[in-house]
Amino acid sequence: MTMVRGKPLRNGGKYSQTHTPYKKNRNGPTPSRTIMTRSQCSTSCTSFFSRIPAEVFDMILDKLSVLEISVFSMVSKEITRYIADYISTVAWKNKMILQSFHHSSCIEQKSTIGHYRDLGVLFKRCTLLLPTKDRLKFIFSKISQIPCFLLEKCVAPDCFAFTSFGVFLQTLIAGWDELECHRVFNFLCDLTNLQQKTEGVITAKPGVKWYQELQLRLFCRQVLLDPWPNQPECHFWLMQLLKPWPLVSQAHLLFILYGPLLPEGTLGWQDLVERGLPHTALWHLAKAILLLFGNLQVKGWSTDSMITIMEELIVIPHPWHVENVARLLVLCGSNLCYTVLASKALNGRLLEISRIIVYIILVCEKDGYHMSWAVKLVQEICKVFNTPPEKFYFIQQLENTFSEVTREFFEFSVAGNHFDDRETFQTLCILLDSCAHFHTKFLHMFLR
């Protein structure tokens, strides 16, 4: 059988061949070909750049974009070192580390944020061979002097520096393992005094340090949390922010990070106490709770700790309006809603859960959720009770609460010349409709 040998790949493999030109010699042997390894090729390339005067080399780098420099930095170790020195110069930093974060148009903002994304790629590549600690020292020595990147250093309301910093950081550490990310978080805490500033805010009365609250929220959201589109990364950073503090303080911090904002930009602490808010005001807080509650495998994180955080959250700064409690539970979904209410049922807090359920039914009617969801929720809570008398007492308490809440709305609407009379009367009508729809579904379940 004849073996056919395949043709060698062109310019492929580990070695490259260089052919020596020669004339045909009838009498002498054919000259041999010289084999050059990759490392020799690399040495040859770097020796070419080393022959260029430094001033000329800098002029070449000046003509390259940030991304082009980042690609060039991966040519060899010698080039990496040279570029690291080049981007450490004052001239380059003044030119490329942009600090124009105020009074910018939308196009200018996008351009600056894109530039910081490119800088993240550059610093990622030119520090690739350094240990994590040295990488972080080198990188943050270049950007730590930007006042707008630090907490409580900028008072401009339209500053988008935190967003630029967040994009830079996300690009820089994408793909790093958890241990390296822990070091990044610790480095950032040291750089910005994040832990001390967090402690100062969460130990104060809600709303007293409103500027510090807003700064902490903007920094944590825009730098650490929002840049990550995937839940695992966002969960990691949220855990780093919450873990150092006791559960009461975690609830306080969670509200600062994700609670509703007033139009003037401050946190709506008192609004949650005084009146019912729309679902948009509580949506981000519900998503954060779901992000935490969805991963209870984290060490030191349990259902009990989550319930404790929820219990603390809905009394900051005072007990919330019941409609807001109900709406938050609805937004958090069936599992968490049932877990919280079942815990209250097991502790004998029937009056409290009956009132919350009535408002859950009201929220379902207001916000357009299927009433069958509320019926199934009541069914599941009934299973918590072991005996028929206990179940009957729970249903009786729920019906009495329906009557009581309806009476409250009616009395308030006819009490006098209140500015919110019309809204209260509308809510009363919605409550009556929700009661009818709930009982229709409830009875239909037994008659099927």
Side-chain angles (χ1 to χ4, degrees), residues 41-51 75-79:
C41 288
S42 176
T43 305
S44 174
C45 292
T46 53
S47 63
F48 166 76
F49 288 112
S50 65
R51 291 197 295 270
V75 169
S76 68
K77 290 182 181 180
E78 184 180 348
I79 296 297

Side-chain angles (χ1 to χ4, degrees), residues 88-157:
S88 298
T89 61
V90 175
W92 187 86
K93 285 192 286 186
N94 290 341
K95 177 184 175 183
M96 303 307 292
I97 306 294
L98 304 180
Q99 299 192 39
S100 53
F101 301 113
H102 308 146
H103 311 299
S104 302
S105 66
C106 185
I107 295 175
E108 289 171 334
Q109 286 187 24
K110 287 182 179 179
S111 175
T112 301
I113 291 170
H115 178 74
Y116 271 93
R117 182 178 289 106
D118 294 345
L119 285 175
V121 176
L122 171 60
F123 283 108
K124 187 186 190 81
R125 288 173 172 173
C126 74
T127 61
L128 199 59
L129 301 177
L130 296 176
T132 303
K133 188 176 180 180
D134 294 337
R135 291 180 86 173
L136 295 174
K137 281 184 180 179
F138 177 84
I139 293 165
F140 286 104
S141 67
K142 309 295 179 290
I143 64 171
S144 60
Q145 302 306 313
I146 302 176
C148 291
F149 278 5
L150 303 176
L151 277 159
E152 302 173 24
K153 296 295 183 182
C154 178
V155 295

